[in-house]
């Protein structure tokens, strides 16, 4: 009996191994399973309260979200419904990197379902209005990668979702691409230690003014900085439409030369009859020969029926009621049979795009913000001769930033950020307190350490024993050189920046004047506003999802 039990156990283990999902890999512009079969996403967005649909405002000052993969009972309720729908992937918009997702990920694997996860969360993502790429954000993104990266059915991650959504906020894309660069490097380092490939991509909205520049920017240049895949949120096939009427033909033509996989990161227009009026003819088109040579499938928006009316199922307590458009989608997915090729027979021919030029609708240079480095920030802060008072409230930072940067622009060079010129101070990635410390100390040094220059009505304090550890010397020296370069670099190539120079000497006994008490943004030059925005952005509400 013991031998029989051992044999059965061994057989079950082998069966489980055979049933395990193969990791997905990328080659050229296509996805493949590890064994070489082409892979098409047949996905659905799976997260309650996940935004408001196409072009919706997902910004939020709160951090309320429901982790869709943390509650085993919820997964036991929903995953069988997902499996019956015929999907092979889900997209999540925010997970808690401190939660245990093993039960849900195992249930998904058993159902043959992969995951693509957004790296941000409502209050900790790159904000299109006040974009930063800093230590806190990087720690969050690394946490998600560490948590989900242990599961073979994770395809990869989105470093942003519709962060730049029109021509007025293209600069935010520099920070998202920097996040892409650094998270890719984090994954690559894990691969060097025996880990596996996971991609990092971006999900863009369909804005006619910027969509070409966006696709080019994230694909161009050093491929260690570029996206691994391109997600396209598109809602142009509405009701009884067609391949040409929807503009799908235009998308196929444009992306036919794209060098990485492209797929619909969201689709499913509801403007004709709401969610229940969806015919899902776009699904049929997406997996037809007209599109499969270019697109690697797509992700339907969305599973849960909510106020925005995009769902295929209504959840109430422990029950799930599928809707009419669930049944329609299920039938359409079951009928598709996309043409495929073997990885061994596929030789990529497409090349990365050229980077877009600066224009009226595109204000992003090729140079990206620096990689967040908490060690450098800590070294800098401990070396300061003048630092923020220990009891200084963060709400008071803005007035100090505004005054110092108005009076001595050079003192703020270390936190400078100009996406159009591609100029970034080395400390622009530090937290607001550390950035303020750098600015205060630079101002103090530039004023020849005048006693008045480190006071600000008790908001700043001279440090009695600043120290520089030997391990910090090289990095601080390099950063100091970068500060000098940022101070002399062109601040704004469009000519809208400050026209004044801050190179003039200020005598040791010059009076500093009164610090303005009004809003910081009334202080004058655009350059000052930019310094303050980048420094205070970490304390602002972030773009959700």
């Amino acid at each position: 009996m013991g031998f029989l039990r051992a044999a059965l156990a061994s057989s079950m283990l082998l069966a489980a191994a055979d049933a395990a999902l193969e990791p997905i890999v990328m080659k050229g512009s296509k996805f493949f399973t590890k064994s070489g079969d082409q892979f098409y996403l047949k996905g659905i967005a799976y997260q309650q309260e996940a935004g408001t649909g196409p072009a919706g405002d997902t910004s939020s000052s709160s951090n309320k979200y429901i982790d869709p993969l943390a509650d085993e009972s919820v997964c036991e309720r929903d995953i069988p419904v997902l499996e019956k729908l015929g999907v092979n992937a889900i997209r999540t918009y925010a997970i808690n990197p401190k939660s245990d997702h093993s039960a849900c990920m195992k249930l998904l694997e058993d159902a043959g379902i992969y995951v693509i996860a957004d790296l941000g969360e409502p209050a900790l993502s790159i904000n299109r209005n006040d974009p930063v790429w800093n230590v806190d954000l990087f720690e969050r993104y690394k946490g998600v990668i560490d948590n989900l990266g242990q599961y073979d059915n994770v395809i990869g991650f989105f470093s942003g979702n519709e962060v730049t959504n029109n021509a007025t906020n293209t600069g935010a894309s520099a920070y998202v691409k920097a996040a892409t660069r650094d998270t890719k490097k984090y994954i690559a380092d894990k691969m060097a230690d025996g880990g596996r490939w996971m991609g990092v991509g971006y999900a863009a909205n369909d804005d006619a003014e910027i969509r070409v520049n966006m696709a080019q920017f994230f694909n161009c240049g050093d491929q260690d900085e570029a996206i691994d895949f391109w997600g396209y949120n598109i809602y142009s096939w509405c009701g009884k439409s067609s391949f040409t009427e929807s503009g799908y033909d235009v998308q196929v033509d444009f992306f036919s030369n794209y060098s990485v996989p492209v797929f619909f990161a969201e689709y499913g227009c509801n403007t004709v009859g709401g969610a229940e009026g969806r015919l899902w003819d776009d699904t049929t088109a997406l997996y037809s020969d007209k599109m499969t040579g270019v697109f690697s499938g797509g992700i339907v928006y969305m599973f849960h029926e909510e106020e925005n009316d995009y769902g295929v199922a209504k959840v109430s307590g422990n029950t799930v009621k599928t809707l009419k458009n669930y049944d329609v989608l299920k039938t359409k997915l079951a009928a598709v049979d996309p043409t495929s090729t073997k990885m061994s027979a596929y030789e990529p021919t497409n090349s990365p795009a050229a980077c877009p030029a600066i224009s009226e609708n595109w204000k992003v240079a090729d140079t990206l913000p620096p990689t967040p480095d908490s060690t450098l920030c800590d070294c800098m802060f401990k070396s300061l001769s003048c630092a923020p008072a220990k009891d200084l409230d963060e709400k008071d930072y803005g007035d100090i930033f505004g005054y110092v940067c108005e009076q001595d622009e050079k003192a703020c060079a270390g936190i400078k950020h100009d996406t159009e010129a591609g100029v970034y101070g080395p400390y622009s990635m530090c937290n607001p307190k550390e950035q303020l410390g750098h600015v205060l100390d630079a101002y103090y040094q530039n004023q020849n350490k005048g006693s008045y220059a480190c006071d600000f009505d008790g908001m700043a304090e001279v440090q009695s024993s600043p120290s520089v550890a030997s391990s910090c010397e090289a990095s601080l020296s390099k950063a100091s050189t970068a500060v000098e370069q940022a101070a002399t670099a062109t601040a704004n190539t469009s000519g809208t920046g400050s026209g004044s120079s801050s190179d003039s000497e200020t005598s040791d006994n010059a009076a500093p004047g009164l610090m303005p008490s009004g809003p910081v943004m009334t202080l004058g030059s655009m350059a000052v506003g930019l310094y303050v925005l980048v420094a205070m952005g970490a304390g602002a509400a972030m773009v959700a999802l």
Side-chain angles (χ1 to χ4, degrees), residues 215-234:
Q216 292 173 339
F217 175 71
F218 279 93
N219 180 236
C220 76
D222 185 344
Q223 291 301 287
D224 287 338
E225 300 178 351
I227 44 99
D228 291 315
F229 50 77
W230 185 248
Y232 200 29
N233 298 345
I234 183 168

Side-chain angles (χ1 to χ4, degrees), residues 62-387:
S62 72
N63 199 32
K64 294 181 179 179
Y65 64 93
I66 301 171
D67 185 334
L69 304 180
D71 189 329
E72 184 175 0
S73 64
V74 170
C75 291
E76 288 175 337
R77 179 195 68 193
D78 293 347
I79 290 174
V81 183
L82 291 167
E83 184 177 11
K84 289 177 183 177
L85 180 58
V87 299
N88 63 9
I90 61 170
R91 176 184 177 184
T92 65
Y93 292 81
I95 66 104
N96 184 348
K98 297 180 181 179
S99 294
D100 179 7
H101 299 105
S102 58
C104 287
M105 292 303 296
K106 181 64 170 63
L107 289 167
L108 287 166
E109 181 183 47
D110 291 344
I113 296 174
Y114 292 88
V115 176
I116 296 179
D118 288 39
L119 289 169
E121 63 182 59
L124 203 56
S125 301
I126 297 173
N127 185 336
R128 67 171 67 103
N129 298 315
D130 301 305
V132 294
W133 175 233
N134 60 22
V135 170
D136 290 342
L137 283 170
F138 196 18
E139 288 302 311
R140 153 78 197 186
Y141 288 21
K142 288 189 290 186
V144 174
I145 292 169
D146 289 341
N147 186 295
L148 292 183
Q150 61 189 302
Y151 307 109
D152 283 349
N153 56 327
V154 172
I155 297 173
F157 309 93
F158 284 122
S159 56
N161 179 65
E162 299 189 14
V163 181
T164 291
N165 65 350
N166 60 53
T168 68
N169 50 42
T170 58
S173 286
Y175 297 90
V176 181
K177 191 169 181 180
T180 303
R181 172 200 64 202
D182 295 336
T183 50
K184 283 185 62 171
K185 175 64 164 56
Y186 187 67
I187 293 170
D189 289 344
K190 287 178 170 291
M191 290 177 66
D193 291 332
R196 66 178 181 87
W197 179 87
M198 292 178 288
V200 181
Y202 179 75
N205 67 316
D206 183 30
D207 184 280
E209 284 190 328
I210 62 171
R211 61 190 178 198
V212 171
N213 286 336
M214 288 287 292
Q216 292 173 339
F217 175 71
F218 279 93
N219 180 236
C220 76
D222 185 344
Q223 291 301 287
D224 287 338
E225 300 178 351
I227 44 99
D228 291 315
F229 50 77
W230 185 248
Y232 200 29
N233 298 345
I234 183 168
Y235 294 84
S236 62
W237 189 304
C238 302
K240 289 185 177 298
S241 189
S242 70
F243 181 64
T244 53
E245 186 180 343
S246 65
Y248 279 21
D249 60 330
V250 176
Q251 306 304 331
V252 169
D253 182 62
F254 174 74
F255 286 108
S256 62
N257 293 316
Y258 215 58
S259 66
V260 298
V262 183
F263 57 89
F264 289 174
E266 291 177 5
Y267 78 100
C269 175
N270 71 346
T271 60
V272 180
E276 289 290 64
R278 295 188 288 190
L279 306 173
W280 298 117
D281 291 336
D282 42 355
T283 298
T284 301
L286 182 57
Y287 300 97
S288 71
D289 288 346
K290 289 182 178 180
M291 300 191 69
T292 53
V294 175
F295 282 86
S296 295
I299 298 172
V300 165
Y301 189 83
M302 56 184 285
F303 180 76
H304 299 89
E305 172 63 1
E306 296 181 324
E307 186 178 352
N308 60 15
D309 194 21
Y310 278 92
V312 299
K314 185 76 173 179
V315 174
S316 178
N318 295 323
T319 62
V320 180
K321 179 184 178 182
T322 59
L323 305 179
K324 182 181 70 174
N325 82 112
Y326 171 99
D327 295 327
V328 177
L329 179 60
K330 177 182 176 181
T331 299
K332 296 286 188 177
L333 285 172
V336 301
D337 185 21
T339 301
S340 63
T341 186
K342 288 288 187 178
M343 182 163 59
S344 59
Y346 169 60
E347 293 299 331
T349 57
N350 294 348
S351 300
C355 292
I358 299 294
S359 67
E360 181 180 354
N361 292 331
W362 191 253
K363 306 293 185 183
V364 194
D366 302 346
T367 304
L368 302 177
T371 299
D373 183 348
S374 59
T375 301
L376 174 61
C377 297
D378 184 61
C379 285
M380 174 270 290
F381 199 77
K382 289 178 178 177
S383 73
L384 302 178
S385 297
C386 177

Side-chain angles (χ1 to χ4, degrees), residues 449-511:
K449 297 186 177 181
S451 59
Y452 65 83
C454 187
D455 183 44
F456 295 90
D457 294 330
M459 294 184 184
E461 299 172 336
V462 174
Q463 304 301 292
S464 58
S465 55
S467 63
V468 177
S470 58
S471 59
C472 293
E473 291 175 355
S475 59
L476 286 176
S477 175
K478 183 177 179 180
S480 178
T481 300
V483 170
E484 291 299 318
Q485 292 172 342
T488 57
T490 303
N492 193 312
T493 57
S494 65
T496 58
S498 171
S500 61
S501 170
S502 60
D503 292 336
S504 57
E505 294 285 336
T506 304
S507 66
D508 184 43
N509 56 5

